[in-house]
Each structure stands twice: as structure tokens, then as C-alpha cells.
Amino acid sequence: MNYEIGIAHTYNNGPLVATTSFTAQFFDNLNQSIEIWRENFGQSEVTNIGSAPLIKEASETFFNGRDAGGVITEEFSLYDQYYLTLSYRKDYASALGAKSKSIGYPGIRFATRLDRFSFVPEQFNLLKFRMAYGESGMLPGHEDGVPLLWSGNAGGAGGGANIYKYGNEDIEPERISEIEFGLDLTWENLLSLELTKYNQWAENSIV
């Protein structure tokens, strides 16, 4: 089940236009299954699984994971020449465990239309400078934060349990940060060019 809700409001006061928006998403994943494998059906016409005498495998699984997140964004435009966007994203997941239940990712973007200044040659249809800083990342898998998971098993000595997976209860969400500078230009509607310089680094990468 996936639930999503969003709301936005725009404020206009002469040269200043501001838009505030908020979006939230909730995801609930529930999976339960039973698997039975039997062989040596006596007749091809009788396909009911109970008619096969040899049991090769029988297992059952249950999984329930929950994720939630929200993003709030504030956008400003002044004289349709200066642009500023502020954002903040917050993620929650059952995979993170009690030691790290959530993580936040901020972001900021700024741009200005240099072609609106009088000292810029009029041959420029567009000359925009932009810069941005933002963070993002990947959350751990739903089982990654559990120290030890067991699965049922039957053998010659009887029923028991096997180690299914090792996890790390101290695992934290990934955080990728990036800073970017750029210049966009259009010359007399004949030449368009985009230049971008960025630097990216990561913390707690999940591999």
C-alpha cells in the first residue's frame, strides 16, 4: 500500500513570487507466503498437491516493512531574474532500527539571469548563472539492520534453525553530498551551451 499527499501555495507580491510546497509519502509492504514442493504424482489427471507422496520442501515466510518520507520546498523568484529554492527531505524506515530511525537531506539552489543586466550584450537571449548544494542517499535494506536472522530447517537430527543473514545494527543511511556551479547561455538563438562543474562525496556508502 502506497499513500501520497501533497499541498502547495503560491504567494505573489509584485516582483516577489514565493511558492511553498509539501509532499509526504508512506509505504507499507506486507508479504506472507507458504511454499510446498512435492513429487511423484500417481496420476497426471490428479494434480492436487496432497496426492504426491514425496515432500521435497516446505517453507513459509513473513515480511513487513514500512517507509515514510516528507519533502518541504520553498521557491522564490524576484523580478523574474533572481531565483532561490530551499528544500529539506526527511526519510523514515523500519530498516534503520532504534539507533537511527531517520535521516534528513537539505538542499539549496540559486540562479540569476545575467542577460537581464544592461552591461550584458543584447545578443545573449539567455545567460544564466546557477549554483546548488544538495544531499541525497540510499536507505539500507529492510533486513540490513538486524544483527542475526534465523531460518527454520529440518534434517536427519530433527528440526532446527540455520543462520539466514548477518546484519549490522549500527548501520546508518547513506549520505551523498554534491555542490554544483553552472552557466547556461543562448547566443542569438543560434548557439546554446551549458557548462557545469560539480564535486560529489559520500558518507556511509552502502555497498
Side-chain angles (χ1 to χ4, degrees), residues 7-23:
I7 187 172
H9 175 71
T10 299
Y11 172 76
N12 194 329
N13 183 16
L16 176 64
V17 178
T19 300
T20 303
S21 61
F22 175 76
T23 302

Side-chain angles (χ1 to χ4, degrees), residues 81-82 112-121:
Q81 182 177 358
Y82 304 96
T112 180
R113 291 280 301 270
L114 300 177
D115 56 287
R116 302 286 176 86
F117 290 100
S118 60
F119 60 84
V120 176

Side-chain angles (χ1 to χ4, degrees), residues 24-74:
Q25 189 175 53
F26 309 90
F27 181 64
D28 188 8
N29 185 9
L30 176 63
N31 187 355
Q32 186 173 7
S33 64
I34 298 176
E35 180 181 351
I36 302 175
W37 178 5
R38 304 183 73 159
E39 291 184 347
N40 297 343
F41 286 88
Q43 301 182 38
S44 60
E45 292 82 5
V46 182
T47 57
N48 184 283
I49 197 170
S51 66
L54 180 60
I55 300 178
K56 293 284 291 184
E57 182 179 335
S59 63
E60 60 179 345
T61 61
F62 178 83
F63 169 81
N64 186 210
R66 297 182 178 92
D67 299 326
V71 180
I72 185 169
T73 304
E74 187 71 40

Side-chain angles (χ1 to χ4, degrees), residues 18 24 65 76 78-79 82 94 104 133 145 148 174 192:
F76 300 97
L78 182 62
Y79 295 108
Y82 304 96
S94 57
Y133 172 82
L148 197 60
E174 182 181 60
S192 295

Side-chain angles (χ1 to χ4, degrees), residues 35-175:
E35 180 181 351
I36 302 175
W37 178 5
R38 304 183 73 159
E39 291 184 347
N40 297 343
F41 286 88
Q43 301 182 38
S44 60
E45 292 82 5
V46 182
T47 57
N48 184 283
I49 197 170
S51 66
L54 180 60
I55 300 178
K56 293 284 291 184
E57 182 179 335
S59 63
E60 60 179 345
T61 61
F62 178 83
F63 169 81
N64 186 210
R66 297 182 178 92
D67 299 326
V71 180
I72 185 169
T73 304
E74 187 71 40
E75 300 176 84
F76 300 97
S77 173
L78 182 62
Y79 295 108
D80 197 24
Q81 182 177 358
Y82 304 96
Y83 310 93
L84 178 66
T85 301
L86 306 172
S87 63
Y88 187 75
R89 168 184 157 199
K90 192 78 169 178
D91 284 339
Y92 302 85
S94 57
L96 302 182
K99 294 187 177 183
S100 178
K101 295 183 178 180
S102 66
I103 186 171
Y105 297 113
I108 180 171
R109 297 189 297 273
F110 171 77
T112 180
R113 291 280 301 270
L114 300 177
D115 56 287
R116 302 286 176 86
F117 290 100
S118 60
F119 60 84
V120 176
E122 60 182 15
Q123 287 84 357
F124 282 100
N125 304 110
L126 173 67
L127 183 61
K128 181 171 70 173
F129 170 77
R130 50 185 167 82
M131 59 182 298
Y133 172 82
E135 297 179 359
S136 63
M138 181 176 64
L139 299 178
H142 288 286
E143 299 173 351
D144 293 343
V146 182
L148 197 60
L149 285 176
W150 298 86
S151 64
N153 181 265
N162 289 338
I163 295 177
Y164 170 69
K165 186 176 182 180
Y166 290 99
N168 178 10
E169 62 181 345
D170 296 320
I171 196 169
E172 296 182 5
E174 182 181 60
R175 185 185 298 275

